[in-house]
């Protein structure tokens, strides 16, 4: 082997460690690094980015709250979902009941982006199915498909075309949608309460009444008072304006009475989910806005 080749070979070979070389000293910051904990994110508005992951758990493939909803409250109706999170319930209601329109609002822009992605996927799947049903070729004739399936596919395309998601704090927004038939407000009241107090929660309820047409439906799932205390144990709620619970006078057990006496809603029925993950067995309430008053 030539001297040039030996020089190249030597340059590519890994260097031998020099036991006599002094190692660099370990700083205090390096010693503390393995023990440092990542700062825990605080969800002051309940805007958990994996909310449905632990709400549904591994055993449930659909939010069980959807199963207690009635088609009559949504089909052909103008609907709003307050605090929609990633849009799981919103889109499930659209899929099941085909409302005339559906708007989902949430205070977290990242959750709204996730909801929009889910909506785009649902729209694409509905459109693809409809196109397959309508395609005229030798392998798939229109008459080969039952009329009910073709009709359902066309209805799904129309339903998803009238769904929107918007980043908005509904309780504080100066804009109130009008002429709505049905409003969902599921597991939202606690976070409005902790951030905006009694007055903010009352403002939310008043806006719901204003947005509904006479005879419109309001479906409410309030978190119980014990979950307020759990929220303080699970994360640092010191930044929440009303994180001190003694500042709150209106309690969840009084919401039904307030909606009836102060705002004139009628409690139609209490809805109970047959199966849910532990800690989420909460009653839901169906209210109706009076036709007069």
């Amino acid at each position: 082997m030539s001297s040039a080749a030996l020089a190249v070979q030597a340059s590519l070979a890994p260097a031998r460690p020099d036991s006599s070389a002094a190692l660099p000293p370990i700083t205090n910051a390096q010693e503390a690094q393995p023990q440092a904990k990542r700062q825990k994110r605080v969800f002051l508005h309940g805007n958990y980015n994996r909310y449905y992951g632990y709400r549904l758990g591994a055993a449930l493939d659909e939010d069980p709250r959807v199963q207690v909803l009635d088609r009559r409250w949504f089909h052909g109706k103008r609907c709003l979902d307050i605090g929609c999170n990633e849009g799981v319930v919103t889109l499930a209601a659209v899929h099941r009941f085909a409302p005339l329109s559906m708007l989902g609002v949430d205070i977290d822009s990242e959750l709204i982006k996730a909801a929009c992605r889910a909506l785009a996927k649902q729209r694409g799947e509905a459109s693809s199915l409809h196109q397959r049903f309508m395609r005229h070729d030798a392998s798939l004739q229109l008459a080969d498909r039952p009329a009910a399936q073709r009709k359902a596919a066309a209805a799904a395309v129309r339903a998803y075309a009238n769904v929107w998601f918007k980043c908005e704090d509904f309780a504080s927004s100066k804009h109130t949608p009008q002429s709505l038939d049905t409003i969902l407000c599921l597991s939202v009241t606690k976070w409005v309460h902790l951030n905006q107090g009694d007055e903010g929660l009352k403002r939310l309820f008043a806006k719901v009444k204003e947005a509904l047409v006479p005879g419109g439906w309001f479906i409410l799932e309030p978190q119980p008072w014990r979950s307020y205390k759990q929220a303080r144990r699970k994360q640092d709620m010191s930044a929440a304006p009303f994180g001190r619970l003694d500042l709150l006078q209106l309690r969840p057990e009084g919401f039904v009475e307030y909606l009836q006496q102060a705002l004139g809603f009628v409690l139609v029925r209490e809805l109970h989910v047959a199966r849910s993950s532990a800690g989420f067995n909460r009653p839901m309430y169906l209210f109706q806005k009076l036709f007069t008053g």
Side-chain angles (χ1 to χ4, degrees):
M1 183 179 296
S2 67
S3 59
L6 289 171
V8 171
Q9 186 178 28
S11 66
L12 296 176
R16 296 172 181 262
D18 185 359
S19 58
S20 62
L23 296 175
I26 299 176
T27 64
N28 293 335
Q30 289 174 318
E31 287 182 340
Q33 187 174 1
Q35 300 177 359
K37 295 182 179 179
R38 296 179 61 185
Q39 186 174 0
K40 187 176 180 180
R41 183 179 173 186
V42 177
F43 301 94
L44 287 181
H45 300 278
N47 49 320
Y48 302 105
N49 54 3
R50 298 186 64 186
Y51 173 73
Y52 290 101
Y54 63 83
R55 168 132 200 177
L56 301 184
L60 301 175
D61 56 2
E62 182 186 52
D63 194 306
R65 295 174 293 182
V66 178
Q67 299 171 9
V68 302
L69 302 178
D70 195 297
R71 178 181 175 85
R72 295 172 298 168
W73 310 332
F74 296 90
H75 182 66
K77 307 292 187 182
R78 293 154 296 188
C79 306
L80 169 67
D81 185 6
I82 301 172
C84 63
N85 199 271
E86 295 176 323
V88 173
V89 171
T90 321
L91 294 176
V94 171
H95 176 75
R96 276 179 171 248
F97 308 124
L100 178 65
S101 66
M102 174 69 84
L103 172 63
V105 298
D106 198 278
I107 198 170
D108 191 305
S109 61
E110 293 303 315
L111 294 178
I112 289 297
K113 289 178 184 177
C116 289
R117 289 192 294 268
L119 172 59
K121 180 181 178 182
Q122 297 280 46
R123 281 177 174 168
E125 291 175 353
S127 177
S128 177
L129 179 61
H130 182 248
Q131 290 175 9
R132 289 203 303 270
F133 281 170
M134 298 303 293
R135 187 179 302 127
H136 294 272
D137 56 35
S139 62
L140 181 60
Q141 295 296 328
L142 185 63
D144 294 336
R145 292 293 181 179
Q149 290 186 13
R150 300 197 306 270
K151 185 177 180 181
V157 171
R158 290 194 300 270
Y160 286 119
N162 294 311
V163 180
W164 302 271
F165 291 101
K166 181 180 180 182
C167 182
E168 179 181 75
D169 179 1
F170 180 82
S172 297
S173 173
K174 295 181 180 179
H175 169 70
T176 302
Q178 301 294 315
S179 303
L180 295 175
D181 299 293
T182 302
I183 295 179
L184 284 165
C185 186
L186 309 181
S187 292
V188 173
T189 51
K190 173 176 70 177
W191 304 108
V192 175
H193 215 176
L194 289 172
N195 285 278
Q196 302 184 32
D198 290 342
E199 294 307 312
L201 190 60
K202 291 176 182 179
R203 184 169 56 249
L204 169 68
F205 291 152
K207 291 190 68 172
V208 167
K209 180 182 178 181
E210 182 183 352
L212 286 171
V213 298
W217 306 103
F218 178 37
I219 303 164
L220 176 68
E221 181 198 32
Q223 297 100 318
W225 185 249
R226 66 176 181 275
S227 75
Y228 286 58
K229 299 176 181 178
Q230 290 171 354
R232 296 184 65 195
R233 289 198 299 268
K234 290 179 180 178
Q235 60 179 359
D236 181 9
M237 295 296 296
S238 59
F242 293 87
R244 283 180 46 199
L245 301 185
D246 60 312
L247 298 174
L248 305 176
Q249 301 301 314
L250 181 61
R251 299 292 181 91
E253 56 269 24
F255 291 174
V256 171
E257 181 181 357
Y258 178 82
L259 286 164
Q260 289 178 307
Q261 294 188 3
L263 296 177
F265 277 96
V266 174
L267 177 62
V268 178
R269 76 176 69 159
E270 189 173 325
L271 308 171
H272 292 278
V273 177
R275 185 185 180 199
S276 186
S277 300
F280 292 102
N281 296 309
R282 303 167 180 162
M284 297 163 59
Y285 300 95
L286 173 66
F287 295 94
Q288 189 171 32
K289 179 179 174 179
L290 287 176
F291 285 90
T292 59

